[in-house]
Amino acid sequence: MPGYTVTVTVRLKQGVLDPEAETTQRALERLGFDLEDLRSADQFELDLTAEDAEAAQERAEEMTERLLANPTIHDYEVAVDPR
Amino acid sequence: MPGYTVTVTVRLKQGVLDPEAETTQRALERLGFDLEDLRSADQFELDLTAEDAEAAQERAEEMTERLLANPTIHDYEVAVDPR
């Protein structure tokens, strides 16, 4: 079966507080950098084999919903690349 | 000045241990998923204004080297998109 690298990006939903991102933004501002907003996200790169790209995408979505993201507070994106 | 969204992806360098990623991989395997490798990365999305895309890229690289990444253990990538 062909190998794929699936990139899953997990972001907080709009409106969910992100104190870590706020702290990082303020630290950058204290260093003299000027920025309007900073958001943070977690990214997972999964190497797996699957019948085709569609199967890889489906499997990664299942893994994300079971473990990598919390659907109450997170949105996520899945991108599949052949390896 | 035009606005840009800069995406900074910070990864551990090859060979640096990532116990959190290993734990996540093992948890997925325990749930019955089959995968060859899992790597994790931190992503920061910065909204800023700059004279042009090149200036935005340069500023983001400076912020990354000063605060967002630790060059001893991290590699990073910077991508600039107009907002």
Side-chain angles (χ1 to χ4, degrees):
Chain A
M1 285 201 290
Y4 297 93
T5 294
V6 184
T7 304
V8 178
T9 307
V10 178
R11 289 187 180 79
L12 286 169
K13 279 187 202 281
Q14 188 113 33
V16 178
L17 292 180
D18 187 349
E20 190 184 329
E22 268 172 51
T23 306
T24 307
Q25 179 172 351
R26 243 173 282 133
L28 285 169
E29 285 164 352
R30 265 199 305 274
L31 288 171
F33 294 106
D34 200 32
L35 64 171
E36 284 167 32
D37 194 27
L38 183 150
R39 297 172 296 283
S40 66
D42 287 324
Q43 205 172 63
F44 301 93
E45 290 175 12
L46 318 171
D47 290 342
L48 46 84
T49 58
E51 269 161 50
D52 53 29
E54 210 179 310
Q57 166 108 17
E58 247 170 55
R59 189 125 54 91
E61 285 176 5
E62 214 186 318
M63 289 190 247
T64 305
E65 294 190 5
R66 295 278 307 268
L67 189 83
L68 304 177
N70 173 349
T72 310
I73 56 167
H74 290 134
D75 285 327
Y76 66 88
E77 252 168 50
V78 174
V80 178
D81 292 298
R83 181 146 49 94
Chain B
M1 286 201 292
Y4 297 93
T5 295
V6 183
T7 304
V8 179
T9 306
V10 178
R11 290 186 179 78
L12 286 170
K13 278 186 202 281
Q14 189 114 32
V16 178
L17 293 179
D18 187 350
E20 190 185 329
E22 269 173 50
T23 307
T24 307
Q25 179 172 351
R26 245 173 282 135
L28 285 168
E29 285 164 353
R30 265 199 305 275
L31 288 171
F33 295 105
D34 200 31
L35 64 171
E36 285 167 32
D37 194 28
L38 183 150
R39 297 172 297 283
S40 67
D42 287 323
Q43 204 172 65
F44 301 93
E45 290 174 12
L46 317 171
D47 291 341
L48 47 84
T49 58
E51 266 161 53
D52 53 29
E54 209 179 310
Q57 167 107 17
E58 247 170 57
R59 189 126 51 90
E61 284 175 6
E62 214 187 318
M63 289 190 248
T64 304
E65 294 190 6
R66 295 277 308 267
L67 189 83
L68 304 177
N70 174 349
T72 309
I73 56 167
H74 290 134
D75 285 327
Y76 67 87
E77 251 168 52
V78 174
V80 178
D81 293 297
R83 181 144 49 93

